[in-house]
Amino acid sequence: DSGVTQTPKHLITATGQRVTLRCSPRSGDLSVYWYQQSLDQGLQFLIQYYNGEERAKGNILERFSAQQFPDLHSELNLSSLELGDSALYFCASSDAQGANTEAFFGQGTRLTVV
Amino acid sequence: GEDVEQSLFLSVREGDSSVINCTYTDSSSTYLYWYKQEPGAGLQLLTYIFSNMDMKQDQRLTVLLNKKDKHLSLRIADTQTGDSAIYFCAESPNNNDMRFGAGTRLTVKP
């Protein structure tokens, strides 16, 4: 158990809909990272927050957004969903600002868009 | 763009050594990582190496870095069936985002 909790584990929704994925980082970790893992794109970095502030942005679509709350949990919002958004979405946390060597991953949320 | 490349499959017999190779293209990468993903689980950091090192050993794991050729390898000694998983190589060019390879699926046969 990495200490990073993601909910829900599975999500099935229709095209055009909007979903919110939630991540609770390890106790004490200030950084949260979101990744998308799909068959055609592999594992891609989406966005990072550090202590509530956006720290780095990767290949995140404009239809997607994220935020980190004062209690340090984070949410990834995916809107106007398309079939191609079906993927495993991972959250990771670390206690540092950068892509620290000690980033711990959650189990992922598997999103299926039908 | 910059890509991290790995072979997709590797099959070894239990007790043999496994060597998983990776090439990266961004010479500014400060850290290079190996992650393990077991079925239905998240990614687990196995080990990492700083770009100013050429070798790192951690129990059964040995990481070799050839910075000139931008080649990274992970050697698992005495491979066990529990080592069967997907292994991801990753680079961190700016210490924020990480770029991952496609993953190498290691199968260990008894």
Side-chain angles (χ1 to χ4, degrees), chain A residues 33 35 37 43 45 48 55-56 88 90 97-101 103 105-107, chain B residues 31 33 35 37 40-43 45 48 50 88 92 95-98 100-101:
Chain A
Y33 311 79
Y35 293 85
Q37 185 179 32
L43 193 58
F45 167 71
Q48 179 206 357
R55 184 82 172 84
L88 196 52
F90 284 109
Q97 291 192 45
N100 186 264
T101 54
F105 281 74
Q107 301 264 55
Chain B
Y31 298 100
Y33 308 83
Y35 280 86
Q37 185 179 31
L43 285 90
L45 176 66
Y48 64 92
F50 293 109
F88 290 90
S92 179
N95 203 32
N96 282 313
D97 64 3
M98 287 170 65
F100 288 81

PDB file of all heavy atoms in Angstrom, chain A residues 33 35 37 43 45 48 55-56 88 90 97-101 103 105-107, chain B residues 31 33 35 37 40-43 45 48 50 88 92 95-98 100-101:
ATOM      1  N   TYR A  33       0.653  14.593  -8.394  1.00  0.00           N
ATOM      2  CA  TYR A  33       0.837  14.504  -9.848  1.00  0.00           C
ATOM      3  C   TYR A  33      -0.292  13.648 -10.419  1.00  0.00           C
ATOM      4  O   TYR A  33      -0.699  12.667  -9.814  1.00  0.00           O
ATOM      5  CB  TYR A  33       2.161  13.807 -10.188  1.00  0.00           C
ATOM      6  CG  TYR A  33       3.381  14.308  -9.463  1.00  0.00           C
ATOM      7  CD1 TYR A  33       3.638  13.916  -8.152  1.00  0.00           C
ATOM      8  CD2 TYR A  33       4.293  15.158 -10.087  1.00  0.00           C
ATOM      9  CE1 TYR A  33       4.758  14.360  -7.476  1.00  0.00           C
ATOM     10  CE2 TYR A  33       5.425  15.595  -9.412  1.00  0.00           C
ATOM     11  CZ  TYR A  33       5.646  15.194  -8.105  1.00  0.00           C
ATOM     12  OH  TYR A  33       6.767  15.638  -7.442  1.00  0.00           O
ATOM     13  N   TYR A  35      -1.375  11.397 -13.876  1.00  0.00           N
ATOM     14  CA  TYR A  35      -0.894  10.746 -15.080  1.00  0.00           C
ATOM     15  C   TYR A  35      -2.049  10.005 -15.745  1.00  0.00           C
ATOM     16  O   TYR A  35      -2.974   9.537 -15.095  1.00  0.00           O
ATOM     17  CB  TYR A  35       0.191   9.713 -14.755  1.00  0.00           C
ATOM     18  CG  TYR A  35       1.477  10.301 -14.234  1.00  0.00           C
ATOM     19  CD1 TYR A  35       1.642  10.592 -12.885  1.00  0.00           C
ATOM     20  CD2 TYR A  35       2.534  10.563 -15.100  1.00  0.00           C
ATOM     21  CE1 TYR A  35       2.817  11.134 -12.410  1.00  0.00           C
ATOM     22  CE2 TYR A  35       3.718  11.100 -14.627  1.00  0.00           C
ATOM     23  CZ  TYR A  35       3.847  11.384 -13.282  1.00  0.00           C
ATOM     24  OH  TYR A  35       5.025  11.916 -12.820  1.00  0.00           O
ATOM     25  N   GLN A  37      -2.693   6.768 -18.331  1.00  0.00           N
ATOM     26  CA  GLN A  37      -2.084   5.605 -18.964  1.00  0.00           C
ATOM     27  C   GLN A  37      -3.091   4.996 -19.928  1.00  0.00           C
ATOM     28  O   GLN A  37      -4.147   4.505 -19.528  1.00  0.00           O
ATOM     29  CB  GLN A  37      -1.651   4.562 -17.937  1.00  0.00           C
ATOM     30  CG  GLN A  37      -0.896   3.381 -18.563  1.00  0.00           C
ATOM     31  CD  GLN A  37      -0.453   2.352 -17.538  1.00  0.00           C
ATOM     32  OE1 GLN A  37      -1.108   2.129 -16.530  1.00  0.00           O
ATOM     33  NE2 GLN A  37       0.677   1.711 -17.777  1.00  0.00           N
ATOM     34  N   LEU A  43       2.096   6.029 -20.801  1.00  0.00           N
ATOM     35  CA  LEU A  43       1.929   6.740 -19.536  1.00  0.00           C
ATOM     36  C   LEU A  43       2.368   8.186 -19.740  1.00  0.00           C
ATOM     37  O   LEU A  43       3.521   8.446 -20.053  1.00  0.00           O
ATOM     38  CB  LEU A  43       2.779   6.053 -18.476  1.00  0.00           C
ATOM     39  CG  LEU A  43       2.554   6.421 -17.019  1.00  0.00           C
ATOM     40  CD1 LEU A  43       1.122   6.164 -16.603  1.00  0.00           C
ATOM     41  CD2 LEU A  43       3.488   5.591 -16.149  1.00  0.00           C
ATOM     42  N   PHE A  45       2.374  12.279 -18.315  1.00  0.00           N
ATOM     43  CA  PHE A  45       2.212  13.238 -17.230  1.00  0.00           C
ATOM     44  C   PHE A  45       1.175  14.281 -17.649  1.00  0.00           C
ATOM     45  O   PHE A  45       1.228  14.821 -18.749  1.00  0.00           O
ATOM     46  CB  PHE A  45       3.554  13.898 -16.941  1.00  0.00           C
ATOM     47  CG  PHE A  45       3.483  15.114 -16.060  1.00  0.00           C
ATOM     48  CD1 PHE A  45       3.195  14.998 -14.712  1.00  0.00           C
ATOM     49  CD2 PHE A  45       3.716  16.369 -16.588  1.00  0.00           C
ATOM     50  CE1 PHE A  45       3.134  16.121 -13.901  1.00  0.00           C
ATOM     51  CE2 PHE A  45       3.658  17.504 -15.788  1.00  0.00           C
ATOM     52  CZ  PHE A  45       3.372  17.374 -14.443  1.00  0.00           C
ATOM     53  N   GLN A  48       0.836  18.782 -12.265  1.00  0.00           N
ATOM     54  CA  GLN A  48       1.328  18.666 -10.900  1.00  0.00           C
ATOM     55  C   GLN A  48       0.868  19.859 -10.080  1.00  0.00           C
ATOM     56  O   GLN A  48       0.883  20.998 -10.557  1.00  0.00           O
ATOM     57  CB  GLN A  48       2.859  18.612 -10.864  1.00  0.00           C
ATOM     58  CG  GLN A  48       3.428  18.509  -9.449  1.00  0.00           C
ATOM     59  CD  GLN A  48       4.814  19.063  -9.297  1.00  0.00           C
ATOM     60  OE1 GLN A  48       5.428  19.495 -10.276  1.00  0.00           O
ATOM     61  NE2 GLN A  48       5.339  19.064  -8.081  1.00  0.00           N
ATOM     62  N   ARG A  55       2.026  23.535 -10.383  1.00  0.00           N
ATOM     63  CA  ARG A  55       3.488  23.607 -10.430  1.00  0.00           C
ATOM     64  C   ARG A  55       4.034  23.284 -11.816  1.00  0.00           C
ATOM     65  O   ARG A  55       5.032  23.854 -12.229  1.00  0.00           O
ATOM     66  CB  ARG A  55       4.043  22.623  -9.407  1.00  0.00           C
ATOM     67  CG  ARG A  55       5.541  22.636  -9.255  1.00  0.00           C
ATOM     68  CD  ARG A  55       5.985  23.762  -8.347  1.00  0.00           C
ATOM     69  NE  ARG A  55       7.399  23.654  -8.052  1.00  0.00           N
ATOM     70  CZ  ARG A  55       8.358  24.124  -8.834  1.00  0.00           C
ATOM     71  NH1 ARG A  55       8.048  24.721  -9.969  1.00  0.00           N
ATOM     72  NH2 ARG A  55       9.616  23.977  -8.506  1.00  0.00           N
ATOM     73  N   ALA A  56       3.410  22.358 -12.485  1.00  0.00           N
ATOM     74  CA  ALA A  56       3.894  21.965 -13.813  1.00  0.00           C
ATOM     75  C   ALA A  56       2.731  21.389 -14.603  1.00  0.00           C
ATOM     76  O   ALA A  56       1.795  20.822 -14.049  1.00  0.00           O
ATOM     77  CB  ALA A  56       5.017  20.932 -13.706  1.00  0.00           C
ATOM     78  N   LEU A  88      -6.465   4.595 -17.801  1.00  0.00           N
ATOM     79  CA  LEU A  88      -6.220   4.471 -16.359  1.00  0.00           C
ATOM     80  C   LEU A  88      -5.581   5.785 -15.928  1.00  0.00           C
ATOM     81  O   LEU A  88      -4.590   6.216 -16.520  1.00  0.00           O
ATOM     82  CB  LEU A  88      -5.270   3.293 -16.136  1.00  0.00           C
ATOM     83  CG  LEU A  88      -5.115   2.688 -14.756  1.00  0.00           C
ATOM     84  CD1 LEU A  88      -6.439   2.314 -14.144  1.00  0.00           C
ATOM     85  CD2 LEU A  88      -4.224   1.443 -14.857  1.00  0.00           C
ATOM     86  N   PHE A  90      -3.719   7.814 -13.055  1.00  0.00           N
ATOM     87  CA  PHE A  90      -2.963   7.638 -11.814  1.00  0.00           C
ATOM     88  C   PHE A  90      -2.702   8.976 -11.154  1.00  0.00           C
ATOM     89  O   PHE A  90      -2.448   9.981 -11.806  1.00  0.00           O
ATOM     90  CB  PHE A  90      -1.595   7.004 -12.096  1.00  0.00           C
ATOM     91  CG  PHE A  90      -1.651   5.537 -12.385  1.00  0.00           C
ATOM     92  CD1 PHE A  90      -1.410   5.070 -13.672  1.00  0.00           C
ATOM     93  CD2 PHE A  90      -1.914   4.626 -11.379  1.00  0.00           C
ATOM     94  CE1 PHE A  90      -1.450   3.710 -13.945  1.00  0.00           C
ATOM     95  CE2 PHE A  90      -1.952   3.262 -11.653  1.00  0.00           C
ATOM     96  CZ  PHE A  90      -1.724   2.808 -12.931  1.00  0.00           C
ATOM     97  N   GLN A  97       8.903  19.488  -4.305  1.00  0.00           N
ATOM     98  CA  GLN A  97       8.325  20.309  -5.354  1.00  0.00           C
ATOM     99  C   GLN A  97       8.512  19.695  -6.729  1.00  0.00           C
ATOM    100  O   GLN A  97       7.696  19.878  -7.614  1.00  0.00           O
ATOM    101  CB  GLN A  97       8.969  21.704  -5.346  1.00  0.00           C
ATOM    102  CG  GLN A  97       8.611  22.536  -4.145  1.00  0.00           C
ATOM    103  CD  GLN A  97       9.030  23.982  -4.331  1.00  0.00           C
ATOM    104  OE1 GLN A  97       8.815  24.569  -5.382  1.00  0.00           O
ATOM    105  NE2 GLN A  97       9.626  24.558  -3.302  1.00  0.00           N
ATOM    106  N   GLY A  98       9.626  19.015  -6.925  1.00  0.00           N
ATOM    107  CA  GLY A  98       9.930  18.501  -8.252  1.00  0.00           C
ATOM    108  C   GLY A  98       9.508  17.063  -8.425  1.00  0.00           C
ATOM    109  O   GLY A  98       8.839  16.494  -7.586  1.00  0.00           O
ATOM    110  N   ALA A  99       9.922  16.467  -9.541  1.00  0.00           N
ATOM    111  CA  ALA A  99       9.640  15.045  -9.794  1.00  0.00           C
ATOM    112  C   ALA A  99      10.572  14.243  -8.915  1.00  0.00           C
ATOM    113  O   ALA A  99      11.509  13.631  -9.356  1.00  0.00           O
ATOM    114  CB  ALA A  99       9.855  14.717 -11.262  1.00  0.00           C
ATOM    115  N   ASN A 100      10.277  14.263  -7.652  1.00  0.00           N
ATOM    116  CA  ASN A 100      11.142  13.699  -6.632  1.00  0.00           C
ATOM    117  C   ASN A 100      11.346  12.213  -6.826  1.00  0.00           C
ATOM    118  O   ASN A 100      10.501  11.511  -7.367  1.00  0.00           O
ATOM    119  CB  ASN A 100      10.485  13.981  -5.286  1.00  0.00           C
ATOM    120  CG  ASN A 100      11.333  13.575  -4.118  1.00  0.00           C
ATOM    121  OD1 ASN A 100      11.183  12.509  -3.588  1.00  0.00           O
ATOM    122  ND2 ASN A 100      12.260  14.437  -3.768  1.00  0.00           N
ATOM    123  N   THR A 101      12.452  11.725  -6.348  1.00  0.00           N
ATOM    124  CA  THR A 101      12.719  10.304  -6.440  1.00  0.00           C
ATOM    125  C   THR A 101      11.756   9.477  -5.615  1.00  0.00           C
ATOM    126  O   THR A 101      11.682   8.277  -5.785  1.00  0.00           O
ATOM    127  CB  THR A 101      14.137  10.026  -5.942  1.00  0.00           C
ATOM    128  OG1 THR A 101      14.273  10.580  -4.633  1.00  0.00           O
ATOM    129  CG2 THR A 101      15.172  10.652  -6.851  1.00  0.00           C
ATOM    130  N   ALA A 103       8.309   9.590  -5.416  1.00  0.00           N
ATOM    131  CA  ALA A 103       6.894   9.756  -5.768  1.00  0.00           C
ATOM    132  C   ALA A 103       6.195   8.408  -5.639  1.00  0.00           C
ATOM    133  O   ALA A 103       6.657   7.406  -6.162  1.00  0.00           O
ATOM    134  CB  ALA A 103       6.753  10.283  -7.190  1.00  0.00           C
ATOM    135  N   PHE A 105       2.707   6.128  -6.116  1.00  0.00           N
ATOM    136  CA  PHE A 105       1.527   6.102  -6.969  1.00  0.00           C
ATOM    137  C   PHE A 105       0.342   5.426  -6.289  1.00  0.00           C
ATOM    138  O   PHE A 105       0.517   4.466  -5.529  1.00  0.00           O
ATOM    139  CB  PHE A 105       1.832   5.338  -8.262  1.00  0.00           C
ATOM    140  CG  PHE A 105       2.596   6.147  -9.269  1.00  0.00           C
ATOM    141  CD1 PHE A 105       3.941   6.414  -9.085  1.00  0.00           C
ATOM    142  CD2 PHE A 105       1.971   6.643 -10.403  1.00  0.00           C
ATOM    143  CE1 PHE A 105       4.660   7.162 -10.022  1.00  0.00           C
ATOM    144  CE2 PHE A 105       2.678   7.378 -11.339  1.00  0.00           C
ATOM    145  CZ  PHE A 105       4.013   7.645 -11.149  1.00  0.00           C
ATOM    146  N   GLY A 106      -0.851   5.922  -6.613  1.00  0.00           N
ATOM    147  CA  GLY A 106      -2.067   5.239  -6.217  1.00  0.00           C
ATOM    148  C   GLY A 106      -2.370   4.091  -7.159  1.00  0.00           C
ATOM    149  O   GLY A 106      -1.614   3.825  -8.101  1.00  0.00           O
ATOM    150  N   GLN A 107      -3.465   3.418  -6.896  1.00  0.00           N
ATOM    151  CA  GLN A 107      -3.851   2.232  -7.693  1.00  0.00           C
ATOM    152  C   GLN A 107      -4.476   2.609  -9.018  1.00  0.00           C
ATOM    153  O   GLN A 107      -4.638   1.766  -9.891  1.00  0.00           O
ATOM    154  CB  GLN A 107      -4.861   1.386  -6.906  1.00  0.00           C
ATOM    155  CG  GLN A 107      -4.339   0.901  -5.586  1.00  0.00           C
ATOM    156  CD  GLN A 107      -3.784  -0.498  -5.682  1.00  0.00           C
ATOM    157  OE1 GLN A 107      -2.915  -0.782  -6.480  1.00  0.00           O
ATOM    158  NE2 GLN A 107      -4.299  -1.378  -4.853  1.00  0.00           N
TER     159      GLN A 107
ATOM    160  N   TYR B  31      17.358  12.973 -13.456  1.00  0.00           N
ATOM    161  CA  TYR B  31      17.054  11.692 -12.831  1.00  0.00           C
ATOM    162  C   TYR B  31      16.509  10.728 -13.878  1.00  0.00           C
ATOM    163  O   TYR B  31      15.775  11.117 -14.775  1.00  0.00           O
ATOM    164  CB  TYR B  31      15.961  11.858 -11.760  1.00  0.00           C
ATOM    165  CG  TYR B  31      16.318  12.763 -10.618  1.00  0.00           C
ATOM    166  CD1 TYR B  31      15.865  14.069 -10.572  1.00  0.00           C
ATOM    167  CD2 TYR B  31      17.075  12.290  -9.556  1.00  0.00           C
ATOM    168  CE1 TYR B  31      16.168  14.897  -9.517  1.00  0.00           C
ATOM    169  CE2 TYR B  31      17.393  13.116  -8.492  1.00  0.00           C
ATOM    170  CZ  TYR B  31      16.933  14.416  -8.480  1.00  0.00           C
ATOM    171  OH  TYR B  31      17.248  15.233  -7.429  1.00  0.00           O
ATOM    172  N   TYR B  33      14.596   6.800 -13.910  1.00  0.00           N
ATOM    173  CA  TYR B  33      13.892   5.945 -12.955  1.00  0.00           C
ATOM    174  C   TYR B  33      13.506   4.606 -13.580  1.00  0.00           C
ATOM    175  O   TYR B  33      13.325   4.489 -14.781  1.00  0.00           O
ATOM    176  CB  TYR B  33      12.566   6.601 -12.542  1.00  0.00           C
ATOM    177  CG  TYR B  33      12.645   8.019 -12.064  1.00  0.00           C
ATOM    178  CD1 TYR B  33      12.679   9.070 -12.955  1.00  0.00           C
ATOM    179  CD2 TYR B  33      12.627   8.299 -10.698  1.00  0.00           C
ATOM    180  CE1 TYR B  33      12.721  10.383 -12.511  1.00  0.00           C
ATOM    181  CE2 TYR B  33      12.661   9.610 -10.245  1.00  0.00           C
ATOM    182  CZ  TYR B  33      12.710  10.645 -11.167  1.00  0.00           C
ATOM    183  OH  TYR B  33      12.745  11.943 -10.715  1.00  0.00           O
ATOM    184  N   TYR B  35      10.313   1.999 -12.779  1.00  0.00           N
ATOM    185  CA  TYR B  35       9.098   1.704 -12.036  1.00  0.00           C
ATOM    186  C   TYR B  35       8.605   0.317 -12.410  1.00  0.00           C
ATOM    187  O   TYR B  35       8.793  -0.147 -13.528  1.00  0.00           O
ATOM    188  CB  TYR B  35       7.994   2.712 -12.378  1.00  0.00           C
ATOM    189  CG  TYR B  35       8.117   4.028 -11.651  1.00  0.00           C
ATOM    190  CD1 TYR B  35       8.909   5.049 -12.173  1.00  0.00           C
ATOM    191  CD2 TYR B  35       7.452   4.249 -10.455  1.00  0.00           C
ATOM    192  CE1 TYR B  35       9.023   6.263 -11.513  1.00  0.00           C
ATOM    193  CE2 TYR B  35       7.559   5.458  -9.789  1.00  0.00           C
ATOM    194  CZ  TYR B  35       8.347   6.458 -10.327  1.00  0.00           C
ATOM    195  OH  TYR B  35       8.463   7.652  -9.667  1.00  0.00           O
ATOM    196  N   GLN B  37       5.098  -2.123 -12.462  1.00  0.00           N
ATOM    197  CA  GLN B  37       3.643  -2.129 -12.368  1.00  0.00           C
ATOM    198  C   GLN B  37       3.147  -3.555 -12.416  1.00  0.00           C
ATOM    199  O   GLN B  37       3.276  -4.234 -13.435  1.00  0.00           O
ATOM    200  CB  GLN B  37       3.012  -1.314 -13.492  1.00  0.00           C
ATOM    201  CG  GLN B  37       1.497  -1.193 -13.369  1.00  0.00           C
ATOM    202  CD  GLN B  37       0.888  -0.365 -14.490  1.00  0.00           C
ATOM    203  OE1 GLN B  37       1.392  -0.336 -15.599  1.00  0.00           O
ATOM    204  NE2 GLN B  37      -0.205   0.323 -14.191  1.00  0.00           N
ATOM    205  N   GLY B  40      -3.187  -4.713 -12.074  1.00  0.00           N
ATOM    206  CA  GLY B  40      -4.189  -4.089 -11.215  1.00  0.00           C
ATOM    207  C   GLY B  40      -3.633  -3.156 -10.164  1.00  0.00           C
ATOM    208  O   GLY B  40      -4.368  -2.725  -9.268  1.00  0.00           O
ATOM    209  N   ALA B  41      -2.360  -2.822 -10.259  1.00  0.00           N
ATOM    210  CA  ALA B  41      -1.747  -1.972  -9.235  1.00  0.00           C
ATOM    211  C   ALA B  41      -1.167  -0.714  -9.855  1.00  0.00           C
ATOM    212  O   ALA B  41      -1.029  -0.609 -11.073  1.00  0.00           O
ATOM    213  CB  ALA B  41      -0.657  -2.749  -8.503  1.00  0.00           C
ATOM    214  N   GLY B  42      -0.824   0.228  -9.012  1.00  0.00           N
ATOM    215  CA  GLY B  42      -0.166   1.439  -9.478  1.00  0.00           C
ATOM    216  C   GLY B  42       1.296   1.186  -9.757  1.00  0.00           C
ATOM    217  O   GLY B  42       1.757   0.053  -9.716  1.00  0.00           O
ATOM    218  N   LEU B  43       2.008   2.235 -10.020  1.00  0.00           N
ATOM    219  CA  LEU B  43       3.437   2.099 -10.294  1.00  0.00           C
ATOM    220  C   LEU B  43       4.213   2.193  -8.984  1.00  0.00           C
ATOM    221  O   LEU B  43       3.943   3.035  -8.151  1.00  0.00           O
ATOM    222  CB  LEU B  43       3.919   3.201 -11.230  1.00  0.00           C
ATOM    223  CG  LEU B  43       3.512   3.027 -12.669  1.00  0.00           C
ATOM    224  CD1 LEU B  43       2.196   3.692 -12.943  1.00  0.00           C
ATOM    225  CD2 LEU B  43       4.571   3.606 -13.593  1.00  0.00           C
ATOM    226  N   LEU B  45       7.973   2.709  -7.437  1.00  0.00           N
ATOM    227  CA  LEU B  45       9.348   3.103  -7.744  1.00  0.00           C
ATOM    228  C   LEU B  45      10.290   2.001  -7.294  1.00  0.00           C
ATOM    229  O   LEU B  45      10.312   1.622  -6.123  1.00  0.00           O
ATOM    230  CB  LEU B  45       9.691   4.405  -7.040  1.00  0.00           C
ATOM    231  CG  LEU B  45      11.133   4.881  -7.209  1.00  0.00           C
ATOM    232  CD1 LEU B  45      11.417   5.243  -8.649  1.00  0.00           C
ATOM    233  CD2 LEU B  45      11.403   6.077  -6.296  1.00  0.00           C
ATOM    234  N   TYR B  48      16.283   4.491  -8.831  1.00  0.00           N
ATOM    235  CA  TYR B  48      16.543   5.647  -9.674  1.00  0.00           C
ATOM    236  C   TYR B  48      18.051   5.871  -9.701  1.00  0.00           C
ATOM    237  O   TYR B  48      18.792   5.335  -8.872  1.00  0.00           O
ATOM    238  CB  TYR B  48      15.840   6.894  -9.135  1.00  0.00           C
ATOM    239  CG  TYR B  48      16.358   7.315  -7.781  1.00  0.00           C
ATOM    240  CD1 TYR B  48      17.395   8.225  -7.655  1.00  0.00           C
ATOM    241  CD2 TYR B  48      15.797   6.780  -6.620  1.00  0.00           C
ATOM    242  CE1 TYR B  48      17.883   8.591  -6.405  1.00  0.00           C
ATOM    243  CE2 TYR B  48      16.282   7.134  -5.371  1.00  0.00           C
ATOM    244  CZ  TYR B  48      17.318   8.040  -5.264  1.00  0.00           C
ATOM    245  OH  TYR B  48      17.798   8.401  -4.036  1.00  0.00           O
ATOM    246  N   PHE B  50      20.996   9.093 -10.528  1.00  0.00           N
ATOM    247  CA  PHE B  50      21.309  10.464 -10.926  1.00  0.00           C
ATOM    248  C   PHE B  50      22.122  10.419 -12.209  1.00  0.00           C
ATOM    249  O   PHE B  50      22.898   9.495 -12.435  1.00  0.00           O
ATOM    250  CB  PHE B  50      22.108  11.180  -9.840  1.00  0.00           C
ATOM    251  CG  PHE B  50      21.328  11.424  -8.587  1.00  0.00           C
ATOM    252  CD1 PHE B  50      21.622  10.717  -7.432  1.00  0.00           C
ATOM    253  CD2 PHE B  50      20.316  12.364  -8.542  1.00  0.00           C
ATOM    254  CE1 PHE B  50      20.910  10.921  -6.265  1.00  0.00           C
ATOM    255  CE2 PHE B  50      19.603  12.584  -7.385  1.00  0.00           C
ATOM    256  CZ  PHE B  50      19.902  11.858  -6.239  1.00  0.00           C
ATOM    257  N   PHE B  88       8.718   0.102 -16.238  1.00  0.00           N
ATOM    258  CA  PHE B  88       8.756   1.366 -16.970  1.00  0.00           C
ATOM    259  C   PHE B  88      10.044   2.114 -16.671  1.00  0.00           C
ATOM    260  O   PHE B  88      10.422   2.293 -15.514  1.00  0.00           O
ATOM    261  CB  PHE B  88       7.590   2.268 -16.579  1.00  0.00           C
ATOM    262  CG  PHE B  88       6.252   1.791 -17.057  1.00  0.00           C
ATOM    263  CD1 PHE B  88       5.475   0.955 -16.278  1.00  0.00           C
ATOM    264  CD2 PHE B  88       5.768   2.178 -18.300  1.00  0.00           C
ATOM    265  CE1 PHE B  88       4.235   0.507 -16.713  1.00  0.00           C
ATOM    266  CE2 PHE B  88       4.529   1.744 -18.745  1.00  0.00           C
ATOM    267  CZ  PHE B  88       3.769   0.905 -17.944  1.00  0.00           C
ATOM    268  N   SER B  92      13.367  12.478 -16.220  1.00  0.00           N
ATOM    269  CA  SER B  92      12.807  13.709 -15.700  1.00  0.00           C
ATOM    270  C   SER B  92      13.711  14.848 -16.150  1.00  0.00           C
ATOM    271  O   SER B  92      14.682  15.187 -15.476  1.00  0.00           O
ATOM    272  CB  SER B  92      12.735  13.654 -14.179  1.00  0.00           C
ATOM    273  OG  SER B  92      12.220  14.869 -13.671  1.00  0.00           O
ATOM    274  N   ASN B  95      12.906  18.086 -13.766  1.00  0.00           N
ATOM    275  CA  ASN B  95      12.608  17.809 -12.354  1.00  0.00           C
ATOM    276  C   ASN B  95      11.156  18.101 -11.991  1.00  0.00           C
ATOM    277  O   ASN B  95      10.824  18.238 -10.834  1.00  0.00           O
ATOM    278  CB  ASN B  95      13.546  18.610 -11.439  1.00  0.00           C
ATOM    279  CG  ASN B  95      13.653  17.964 -10.072  1.00  0.00           C
ATOM    280  OD1 ASN B  95      13.572  16.746  -9.952  1.00  0.00           O
ATOM    281  ND2 ASN B  95      13.817  18.763  -9.055  1.00  0.00           N
ATOM    282  N   ASN B  96      10.299  18.183 -12.986  1.00  0.00           N
ATOM    283  CA  ASN B  96       8.872  18.301 -12.703  1.00  0.00           C
ATOM    284  C   ASN B  96       8.131  17.176 -13.396  1.00  0.00           C
ATOM    285  O   ASN B  96       7.749  16.206 -12.775  1.00  0.00           O
ATOM    286  CB  ASN B  96       8.333  19.666 -13.122  1.00  0.00           C
ATOM    287  CG  ASN B  96       8.688  20.723 -12.115  1.00  0.00           C
ATOM    288  OD1 ASN B  96       8.512  20.533 -10.926  1.00  0.00           O
ATOM    289  ND2 ASN B  96       9.229  21.818 -12.582  1.00  0.00           N
ATOM    290  N   ASP B  97       7.931  17.303 -14.694  1.00  0.00           N
ATOM    291  CA  ASP B  97       7.227  16.198 -15.332  1.00  0.00           C
ATOM    292  C   ASP B  97       8.174  15.030 -15.568  1.00  0.00           C
ATOM    293  O   ASP B  97       9.383  15.161 -15.482  1.00  0.00           O
ATOM    294  CB  ASP B  97       6.554  16.639 -16.638  1.00  0.00           C
ATOM    295  CG  ASP B  97       7.554  17.087 -17.677  1.00  0.00           C
ATOM    296  OD1 ASP B  97       8.769  17.005 -17.435  1.00  0.00           O
ATOM    297  OD2 ASP B  97       7.117  17.535 -18.742  1.00  0.00           O
ATOM    298  N   MET B  98       7.588  13.892 -15.804  1.00  0.00           N
ATOM    299  CA  MET B  98       8.361  12.693 -16.082  1.00  0.00           C
ATOM    300  C   MET B  98       7.881  12.114 -17.391  1.00  0.00           C
ATOM    301  O   MET B  98       6.686  12.109 -17.666  1.00  0.00           O
ATOM    302  CB  MET B  98       8.175  11.669 -14.963  1.00  0.00           C
ATOM    303  CG  MET B  98       8.885  12.055 -13.682  1.00  0.00           C
ATOM    304  SD  MET B  98       8.439  11.017 -12.297  1.00  0.00           S
ATOM    305  CE  MET B  98       9.065   9.455 -12.826  1.00  0.00           C
ATOM    306  N   PHE B 100       7.719   8.698 -19.607  1.00  0.00           N
ATOM    307  CA  PHE B 100       7.825   7.257 -19.440  1.00  0.00           C
ATOM    308  C   PHE B 100       7.970   6.555 -20.782  1.00  0.00           C
ATOM    309  O   PHE B 100       7.421   6.998 -21.794  1.00  0.00           O
ATOM    310  CB  PHE B 100       6.559   6.715 -18.772  1.00  0.00           C
ATOM    311  CG  PHE B 100       6.434   7.052 -17.310  1.00  0.00           C
ATOM    312  CD1 PHE B 100       5.969   8.290 -16.911  1.00  0.00           C
ATOM    313  CD2 PHE B 100       6.783   6.126 -16.341  1.00  0.00           C
ATOM    314  CE1 PHE B 100       5.846   8.598 -15.563  1.00  0.00           C
ATOM    315  CE2 PHE B 100       6.660   6.423 -14.994  1.00  0.00           C
ATOM    316  CZ  PHE B 100       6.200   7.663 -14.606  1.00  0.00           C
ATOM    317  N   GLY B 101       8.656   5.431 -20.745  1.00  0.00           N
ATOM    318  CA  GLY B 101       8.645   4.528 -21.890  1.00  0.00           C
ATOM    319  C   GLY B 101       7.328   3.767 -21.916  1.00  0.00           C
ATOM    320  O   GLY B 101       6.491   3.923 -21.031  1.00  0.00           O
TER     321      GLY B 101
END
